[in-house]
Amino acid sequence: MSIALTHAAEVQQSGVNGRISLERNHKRIRVFFAGHVIADTTRAVYLFEKGHLPVYYIPRDDVRTDSLEPLDATTWCPWKGKARYWDLVVDDRRAERSLWGYDEPLKDSLDLSWYVAFYWHKMDAWYEEDQQVFVHPRDPYVRVDVLPSSRHVEVFIGDTLVADTTHPRLLFETSLPVRYYIPRIDVRSEFFTGSDAKTSCPYKGTASYLSFTGSDDSDPVEDAAWYYPFTTAEASGIGDHVSFYPDGARIVVDGAPVEGCPTPL
């Protein structure tokens, strides 16, 4: 067992004041840039920090260090210490200040000196095993469940009934409200047109949007609904289904309105 792996196993605990913690990640993580694999590891750890998304920290031995150019710039974190930075340079492409690491651990905190971390958006692609991951690392404590239901779901925009089904799929995602996904056949497509908007979710896939074009009783609403043309495996049950923002539409489930809750997808 390598030193880095031994260390990762020992530090699955909280650091200063419980603000940060490390946890072993058992998946193979690969980072691609400019057509090259920049990092390839089965020894990554998650770093959890209060108020932030989890970050992959990758052993330095598993990073292509010949493509790194060190920088003089540093920053300070009271929980992790002094960070140093590198540019990533491959052929004629440069990702400025795209990696960071902590050379010296703080007293009574976690030792991160074995690892470096990448700015997600500055890389071309990330993979967990052989599946591409988008936006940010998947939090191992976030769960997505899609369940078939026989609840009666009606959706109104203004006074116009735009969807009505007794065959919805309900999506349950950790810490977020229930989302009601309606079969396309039960959505009144004559009231909608495609939008150029797109968003991505590491747990569900890339969403496309539909705008409500308006009716005699209701004004147009841009990006009133969304759907996933292609989903991740865990969200496959919402394929060919449409969902609506409860703050922009009136969603009624078994006769009871769902309160508006403007939260991210």
Side-chain angles (χ1 to χ4, degrees), residues 199-260:
T199 58
S200 293
C201 169
Y203 309 107
K204 299 186 289 292
T206 298
S208 295
Y209 285 76
L210 298 171
S211 292
F212 177 66
T213 54
S215 67
D216 293 340
D217 301 318
S218 308
D219 295 329
V221 178
E222 187 176 0
D223 300 336
W226 72 89
Y227 64 98
Y228 288 90
F230 303 99
T231 69
T232 61
E234 53 267 55
S236 60
I238 60 173
D240 206 32
H241 285 61
V242 177
S243 193
F244 295 81
Y245 286 111
D247 56 323
R250 181 161 54 94
I251 302 174
V252 179
V253 179
D254 291 335
V258 175
E259 292 185 5

Side-chain angles (χ1 to χ4, degrees), residues 85-100:
Y85 294 84
W86 293 265
D87 282 358
L88 175 61
V89 182
V90 178
D91 300 328
D92 60 348
R93 288 190 59 193
R94 176 183 294 269
E96 296 182 351
R97 196 165 167 161
S98 54
L99 290 85
W100 73 91

Side-chain angles (χ1 to χ4, degrees), residues 76-127:
W76 175 259
C77 172
W79 324 118
K80 300 187 291 292
K82 184 171 74 173
R84 59 182 297 217
Y85 294 84
W86 293 265
D87 282 358
L88 175 61
V89 182
V90 178
D91 300 328
D92 60 348
R93 288 190 59 193
R94 176 183 294 269
E96 296 182 351
R97 196 165 167 161
S98 54
L99 290 85
W100 73 91
Y102 297 90
D103 292 337
E104 298 292 335
L106 289 178
K107 183 180 179 181
D108 299 325
S109 189
L110 301 179
D111 185 356
L112 301 176
S113 62
W114 304 105
Y115 307 100
V116 293
F118 292 77
Y119 283 106
W120 187 280
H121 66 284
K122 294 187 178 183
M123 299 298 102
D124 291 339
W126 292 77
Y127 282 80

Side-chain angles (χ1 to χ4, degrees), residues 36-38 60 63-70 86-91:
H36 294 267
V37 178
I38 302 303
R60 299 187 187 206
V63 176
R64 183 174 156 176
T65 55
D66 62 311
S67 297
L68 304 184
E69 291 187 4
W86 293 265
D87 282 358
L88 175 61
V89 182
V90 178
D91 300 328

